[in-house]
Amino acid sequence: SDMNANEVILVNENDEEIGVMDKMEAHKKGLLHRAISVFIFNLNNEWLLQQRAQHKYHSGLLWSNASCTHPMGGEDEISAANRRLEEEMGMEASLEKLFSFQYKAYLDSDLIEHELDHIFVGYTNQKPDINPAEVCDYRYISTEGLKEEIKTNPEIFSEWFKLLFERIHKEIKV
């Protein structure tokens, strides 16, 4: 397609494409669009968290899952997931899709994240080689540790990460 990298694919509730729109405009209007979230675990079943770069257009410096992206036109979900894991974290993993999930969250800068999010998970002990343009830090944390931190410091995590944590925890029994 002739989309550019700053556009997102607008979808209906069935994930059928209904158009493309500038990323910022879609987030200002809170329109439903297609997204990908990748969750990575090491072989000790610890969650790999990334801290989003400070200058990102929303949720800067918040801790979140290993990587996130919006697929480009004609790009399938798994390709988008692999591309972004490499771009942000400098990693490769064998990813599998867990589920899709629709949510709406109100973010900083008066933006609304309204996504039909396709969730992928992978396991690897490969060490991240982070891209400072996207990510300012990373760490590993156990499920118990993470549960405790979300309870005591919810404001340091991205909205979607908090929404997804329990569900993923239940699905994959980490």
Side-chain angles (χ1 to χ4, degrees):
S1 117
D2 46 14
M3 278 177 75
N4 72 51
N6 284 319
E7 289 179 318
V8 295
I9 298 171
L10 301 178
V11 294
N12 64 20
E13 314 244 322
N14 300 318
D15 199 33
E16 294 160 340
E17 296 184 24
I18 55 177
V20 297
M21 184 178 277
D22 174 76
K23 186 162 76 171
M24 285 301 285
E25 191 184 352
H27 287 83
K28 283 190 177 112
K29 294 181 172 167
L31 297 181
L32 185 65
H33 57 279
R34 185 178 293 155
I36 304 285
S37 290
V38 180
F39 285 75
I40 295 290
F41 296 87
N42 66 17
L43 303 185
N44 297 330
N45 280 329
E46 293 173 318
W47 304 65
L48 171 60
L49 303 185
Q50 69 144 272
Q51 187 177 29
R52 292 167 61 86
Q54 184 164 7
H55 61 263
K56 305 269 296 184
Y57 66 106
H58 67 73
S59 311
L61 295 182
L62 295 185
W63 290 93
S64 200
N65 48 295
S67 69
C68 284
T69 193
H70 300 107
M72 300 186 204
E75 182 181 42
D76 63 24
E77 295 166 24
I78 188 82
S79 306
N82 282 310
R83 166 179 61 78
R84 197 61 177 156
L85 185 61
E86 173 61 43
E87 286 171 1
E88 291 189 323
M89 303 299 279
M91 298 173 79
E92 284 177 29
S94 172
L95 300 176
E96 64 178 87
K97 186 169 175 183
L98 276 188
F99 55 84
S100 299
F101 156 91
Q102 190 179 318
Y103 74 97
K104 192 170 195 175
Y106 295 83
L107 309 174
D108 52 290
S109 319
D110 290 328
L111 299 179
I112 302 165
E113 191 66 282
H114 191 194
E115 292 189 337
L116 206 157
D117 200 4
H118 299 274
I119 312 304
F120 289 84
V121 64
Y123 299 86
T124 177
N125 269 344
Q126 185 189 356
K127 277 282 175 276
D129 176 17
I130 59 176
N131 173 359
E134 303 288 348
V135 180
C136 71
D137 203 1
Y138 74 89
R139 61 187 170 116
Y140 290 92
I141 188 168
S142 69
T143 297
E144 284 315 303
L146 187 51
K147 197 177 279 184
E148 190 55 34
E149 270 196 37
I150 289 173
K151 204 166 70 189
T152 51
N153 293 313
E155 69 287 348
I156 71 169
F157 296 97
S158 72
E159 290 301 321
W160 62 92
F161 183 77
K162 288 181 282 195
L163 290 169
L164 283 163
F165 167 70
E166 280 299 332
R167 172 129 184 224
I168 287 171
H169 169 45
K170 287 192 182 79
E171 293 255 342
I172 61 178
K173 312 276 190 287
V174 289

